[in-house]
Amino acid sequence: MGRKVTVATCSLNQWALDFEGNLRRILRSIEIARNKGARYRLGPELEICGYGCWDHYFESDTILHSYQVLAQLLVAPVTQNIICDVGMPVMHRNVRYNCRVIFLNGKILLIRPKMVLANEGNYQEMRWFAPWPRSRQAEDHFLPRMIQKLTKQDLVPFGDLVLATKDTCIGTEICEELWTPHSPHIDMGLDGVEIFTNSSGSHHVLRKAHTRVDLVNLATLKNGGIYLMANQKGCDGGRLYYDGCSMISVNGSTVAQGAQFSLDDVEVLTATVDLEDIRSYRAEISSRNLMASTVVPYTRVLVDFALSCRNDVLLSTSEPITWQFHSLGEEISLGPACWLWDYLRRSEQAGFFLPLSGGLDSSATACLVYSMCRQVCQAVSNGNKEVLADVQRILNRDDFLPQDPQKLCGQLLTTCYMATQNSSRDTYNKAQELAEQIGSYHISLNIDTVVNIIMEIFRVTTGKMPQFLVHGGSSREDVAMQNVQARVRMVFSYLFAQLSLWSRGMRGGLLVLGTTNVDECLRGYVTKYDCSSADINPIGGMSKTDIRTFIQYCIERFHLVCLQSIMAAPATAELKPLAEGQVSQTDEEDMGVTYKELAVFGRLRKMGKAGPYSMFCKLVNMWKEICTPREVADKVKHFFRKYSLNRHKMTTLTPSYHAENYSPDDNRFDPRPFLYQSSWPWQFRCIDQQVMKLEGTEGEQDFDDLV
């Protein structure tokens, strides 16, 4: 009696609307799965068109081209004698659904629409799709004529059904359905489904991997069974990096783990499992069996096919493994670097241009590019021909073999220290040393001439010459003088990005990298259209604290010893006059708040859904050992004043790698007003009344009258 089944799941680096490339990667994954003996292959969510199509889902072309790809999959020899589970949008009765199309030997077995849509944070699936509302129910779906011609089927089942093969039963979940409180796998498992599949488009967030792994293992811990999760990987055209981590779990234990970060476009995992292990595991859970006896059954689609074979006695089964998680420093080193590589190779640019100030943030950005170069060299060393071809195409050098990360960094990264009279020799040296250690092509220049000309034009036009505050000017003059320097650097960045390779006799242009962290964006401590304005920003979703963790990792892992002095130096913009040659300006003093406090404010504002008053009430307890209620109130009010005054800067924020769930990115993730009543009179009055109440000095108006 055959009872051992081999199943496959995969991570694919799909690209939105790249139907040709997506088809090629899907076929490759099926071929690998078959060669490994798998009889069922699961792919990521919406893998045919790519997950991040956004409003292209409204276009009939997207569905048309998805069907054209499906048609080629149906007739491809490699898809024979293996159940293939692929994702695409489907229009059913004039309603658009996010679906799995499951087929075998040129026949469609089932179209399973997604029942629970992701509609928070970075996800807006309700904008493009409708959820299938009828659990355990299905309808007939009329196939397009191009598919009818191939499959000889006019109608196929469309809905929430399960597949019954000759030897087992298979049920489908799609991404968000795993995360919902009552996941479909619960009732499917009680009804005898033994194999659960989940196709996902789950993006990377720092410290998130363990949550996904726990959810998958818990899905079979209480109910038994085999759980396959397939996930998208790479940058498919936006701010998100999908981090793979495809896996297979059996009876609560992981038996196959995919890479979280990799430059491989196709990764296939297989596992061989004895179905009798599932049945034995379930048999001794009496509470499960009692519940199973009363469950509402699923309609089964009968499939004349078996996942097992008769002679499987000598076939080894997959054993449980311990999931290997990355440290925080490793996550930062790998995720954004992979995102940078995808963006570079798909943008058809020749490298990156980075304004390198000698400070922590720009140094971290440089280290991410260096980490990218290390991963590229490692991938080529491992025999990845696609990565090698991409490198040679980017550099326009068919003979180039990337073996040394420093040499590759010298080809792909141009760094530039743009000095003014307010720049210190210390930061100049730090930038120079880091460039030497990572191997970037480094430029140093002075932009004072341009800054002075701009200020002279203003003087000639208005008859007035602004001065820094330390030279007798006003605060408004001081800020304007700082901003001119920052914005001139942005102009120089794009000039050199477009022409620096040309000046060296090389082809192509460079992508400008931004260097603003998430805490500074939250506070608005950036100049609009300065060096924060770039093509992409790999650290824009990271907190200052996490960036310091990454820098420490680079010191230990990459042996970049110059980073030690960068870590030790206070953060400074170097836009104000020096005091006897020394830096007189620090970021935290300018902001009136520490980076650690900003991280707390950010998490409470976004993840804790706290307005000014709620934030005060939470912090007055959190910080009771270090601050009085009045001091907490002052900090909260200061933060919200600055946040609201600077919110408009988020509308022009450089596209950033999404790494933190408290990101203030106005584009899709954190849509809020950008014109506020920045004095927050009602909210701050509530805070003041509560402070007086805590201090025992209540005013004439009782706090209770306000709420």
Side-chain angles (χ1 to χ4, degrees):
M1 179 181 71
R3 62 187 186 184
K4 295 177 183 176
V5 299
T6 300
V7 290
T9 184
C10 61
S11 295
L12 303 182
N13 195 329
Q14 304 296 73
W15 190 9
L17 303 178
D18 178 25
F19 292 97
E20 184 173 354
N22 292 348
L23 170 61
R24 184 173 63 251
R25 288 179 283 270
I26 292 170
L27 288 171
R28 176 66 179 145
S29 70
I30 296 172
E31 180 184 23
I32 295 172
R34 277 189 46 154
N35 290 341
K36 290 185 173 183
R39 306 269 278 177
Y40 191 104
R41 176 269 181 198
L42 174 73
E45 186 174 11
L46 293 165
E47 61 191 298
I48 285 180
C49 59
Y51 184 85
C53 293
W54 298 91
D55 278 8
H56 287 289
Y57 287 121
F58 292 134
E59 300 167 3
S60 60
D61 281 11
T62 303
I63 293 180
L64 168 65
H65 299 325
S66 295
Y67 271 118
Q68 290 171 334
V69 171
L70 177 63
Q72 294 203 33
L73 290 171
L74 287 166
V75 300
V78 74
T79 65
Q80 302 304 299
N81 296 317
I82 180 172
I83 298 177
C84 297
D85 187 333
V86 299
M88 60 177 278
V90 174
M91 186 79 77
H92 175 69
R93 298 189 179 182
N94 291 338
V95 179
R96 192 180 299 100
Y97 294 95
N98 174 350
C99 294
R100 303 303 299 174
V101 179
I102 307 172
F103 62 91
L104 170 67
N105 294 334
K107 300 285 186 182
I108 294 177
L109 305 175
L110 170 66
I111 299 178
R112 172 32 165 94
K114 192 171 184 178
M115 301 176 67
V116 181
L117 300 183
N119 210 57
E120 69 284 329
N122 289 295
Y123 298 98
Q124 300 180 28
E125 291 181 3
M126 289 288 286
R127 180 179 175 92
W128 311 295
F129 303 112
W132 180 253
R134 294 185 286 283
S135 175
R136 301 177 181 80
Q137 296 182 39
E139 298 173 350
D140 288 333
H141 176 73
F142 285 86
L143 291 172
R145 282 177 292 183
M146 75 171 82
I147 304 299
Q148 291 180 18
K149 184 178 179 180
L150 297 174
T151 65
K152 310 304 180 186
Q153 298 169 288
D154 295 330
L155 301 171
V156 295
F158 183 100
D160 183 27
L161 307 179
V162 298
L163 300 180
T165 65
K166 289 182 176 182
D167 49 0
T168 189
C169 191
I170 306 167
T172 301
E173 287 187 334
I174 305 176
C175 200
E176 184 73 10
E177 294 171 9
L178 171 64
W179 300 73
T180 195
H182 192 98
S183 298
H185 69 256
I186 297 172
D187 290 332
M188 286 191 294
L190 292 174
D191 192 36
V193 172
E194 295 176 328
I195 300 175
F196 312 102
T197 67
N198 185 296
S199 53
S200 287
S202 183
H203 68 283
H204 173 237
V205 173
L206 297 176
R207 311 171 185 85
K208 175 185 174 183
H210 72 279
T211 303
R212 191 189 301 144
V213 172
D214 289 347
L215 283 171
V216 171
N217 284 331
L218 285 172
T220 58
L221 179 65
K222 294 190 295 183
N223 211 354
I226 307 167
Y227 201 106
L228 289 76
M229 194 193 78
N231 193 26
Q232 164 88 351
K233 69 187 301 187
C235 167
D236 73 344
R239 292 161 170 78
L240 305 183
Y241 178 78
Y242 302 94
D243 60 339
C245 277
S246 294
M247 61 180 293
I248 302 174
S249 175
V250 178
N251 295 341
S253 298
T254 303
V255 296
Q257 171 187 349
Q260 186 174 15
F261 309 107
S262 167
L263 299 188
D264 297 334
D265 283 348
V266 177
E267 180 189 33
V268 178
L269 299 178
T270 59
T272 300
V273 182
D274 192 332
L275 294 173
E276 291 303 316
D277 290 342
I278 310 301
R279 294 155 190 167
S280 299
Y281 185 88
R282 288 177 169 179
E284 65 177 357
I285 308 176
S286 59
S287 58
R288 176 212 169 267
N289 297 334
L290 286 172
M291 297 180 70
S293 64
T294 61
V295 73
V296 178
Y298 279 78
T299 300
R300 282 158 162 75
V301 177
L302 302 181
V303 184
D304 187 18
F305 185 76
L307 300 190
S308 60
C309 58
R310 291 182 179 275
N311 300 316
D312 61 5
V313 176
L314 298 179
L315 188 62
S316 299
T317 57
S318 303
E319 296 297 323
I321 61 174
T322 300
W323 191 280
Q324 300 298 315
F325 292 100
H326 293 288
S327 68
L328 177 61
E330 285 178 313
E331 280 196 78
I332 298 174
S333 172
L334 297 172
C338 290
W339 182 75
L340 283 172
W341 173 245
D342 278 347
Y343 202 100
L344 175 61
R345 68 191 180 112
R346 289 172 171 173
S347 66
E348 300 185 1
Q349 298 300 300
F352 300 108
F353 181 89
L354 172 64
L356 186 61
S357 69
L360 194 72
D361 291 337
S362 64
S363 298
T365 304
C367 289
L368 285 174
V369 178
Y370 179 65
S371 175
M372 181 199 80
C373 293
R374 290 174 62 94
Q375 292 184 68
V376 168
C377 291
Q378 184 63 51
V380 172
S381 174
N382 292 339
N384 191 317
K385 296 180 180 179
E386 290 83 4
V387 171
L388 176 60
D390 283 331
V391 172
Q392 293 175 342
R393 176 182 51 81
I394 291 168
L395 298 179
N396 194 36
R397 290 182 55 185
D398 294 339
D399 62 337
F400 186 81
L401 183 63
Q403 296 175 311
D404 185 339
Q406 287 182 313
K407 291 182 179 178
L408 180 59
C409 194
Q411 295 289 320
L412 294 179
L413 177 62
T414 298
T415 53
C416 182
Y417 183 83
M418 289 181 262
T420 69
Q421 60 184 350
N422 301 319
S423 303
S424 68
R425 189 70 188 178
D426 184 50
T427 54
Y428 170 88
N429 291 334
K430 289 174 181 175
Q432 183 75 33
E433 290 171 7
L434 178 59
E436 289 175 358
Q437 291 189 20
I438 65 175
S440 66
Y441 182 85
H442 190 63
I443 305 167
S444 294
L445 55 91
N446 190 293
I447 63 173
D448 274 334
T449 302
V450 177
V451 173
N452 292 337
I453 289 172
I454 292 173
M455 300 313 299
E456 179 62 19
I457 291 173
F458 182 84
R459 186 195 67 78
V460 170
T461 304
T462 66
K464 294 192 177 222
M465 176 62 83
Q467 299 292 330
F468 283 105
L469 195 61
V470 295
H471 296 157
S474 65
S475 296
R476 181 172 293 275
E477 294 170 64
D478 193 89
V479 171
M481 296 278 285
Q482 294 183 61
N483 289 347
V484 166
Q485 300 167 71
R487 290 184 173 124
V488 166
R489 285 174 175 150
M490 184 269 290
V491 174
F492 273 104
S493 293
Y494 276 97
L495 174 65
F496 276 83
Q498 290 176 305
L499 295 180
S500 63
L501 293 184
W502 167 81
S503 71
R504 295 155 57 191
M506 301 166 67
R507 295 174 54 181
L510 304 175
L511 293 163
V512 179
L513 296 179
T515 60
T516 304
N517 63 64
V518 71
D519 296 329
E520 290 169 349
C521 293
L522 179 67
R523 162 60 174 73
Y525 187 64
V526 294
T527 301
K528 210 171 185 180
Y529 307 116
D530 73 339
C531 284
S532 65
S533 297
D535 293 313
I536 52 175
N537 182 358
I539 67 165
M542 298 178 203
S543 71
K544 195 78 165 185
T545 301
D546 289 345
I547 289 172
R548 294 183 70 86
T549 300
F550 168 60
I551 291 294
Q552 184 61 43
Y553 173 84
C554 292
I555 294 171
E556 298 169 2
R557 180 71 177 84
F558 301 158
H559 308 296
L560 301 175
V561 295
C562 68
L563 293 173
Q564 292 175 338
S565 60
I566 293 173
M567 276 268 284
T572 174
E574 288 198 332
L575 296 172
K576 294 181 180 181
L578 301 175
E580 298 181 352
Q582 301 299 313
V583 172
S584 61
Q585 175 187 25
T586 64
D587 290 352
E588 291 188 336
E589 184 178 356
D590 276 1
M591 292 190 297
V593 61
T594 67
Y595 282 108
K596 287 185 178 180
E597 289 170 343
L598 276 174
V600 175
F601 291 144
R603 288 187 171 88
L604 288 176
R605 179 199 69 93
K606 178 66 177 177
M607 300 163 69
K609 314 295 188 296
Y613 179 70
S614 295
M615 187 178 292
F616 166 78
C617 291
K618 291 177 184 295
L619 289 176
V620 80
N621 281 296
M622 289 174 58
W623 291 349
K624 62 185 177 182
E625 302 298 329
I626 57 175
C627 295
T628 66
R630 189 167 295 278
E631 288 172 335
V632 173
D634 290 342
K635 289 177 182 290
V636 169
K637 288 190 283 187
H638 175 75
F639 166 72
F640 272 99
R641 285 193 196 98
K642 296 300 183 181
Y643 163 79
S644 55
L645 284 170
N646 291 289
R647 177 66 187 174
H648 63 95
K649 297 177 183 178
M650 297 304 97
T651 64
T652 61
L653 195 67
T654 295
S656 302
Y657 181 95
H658 181 88
E660 280 283 8
N661 280 331
Y662 71 85
S663 168
D665 189 344
D666 186 66
N667 192 308
R668 300 190 179 117
F669 183 71
D670 189 38
R672 303 196 184 211
F674 57 89
L675 179 62
Y676 278 94
Q677 165 55 285
S678 60
S679 63
W680 301 83
W682 186 278
Q683 294 91 332
F684 288 1
R685 190 161 62 247
C686 289
I687 292 175
D688 291 339
Q689 288 288 338
Q690 183 64 26
V691 169
M692 289 189 289
K693 196 169 186 177
L694 291 170
E695 293 177 341
T697 58
E698 291 181 76
E700 296 179 1
Q701 186 178 22
D702 189 3
F703 168 76
D704 294 335
D705 295 336
L706 296 174
V707 294

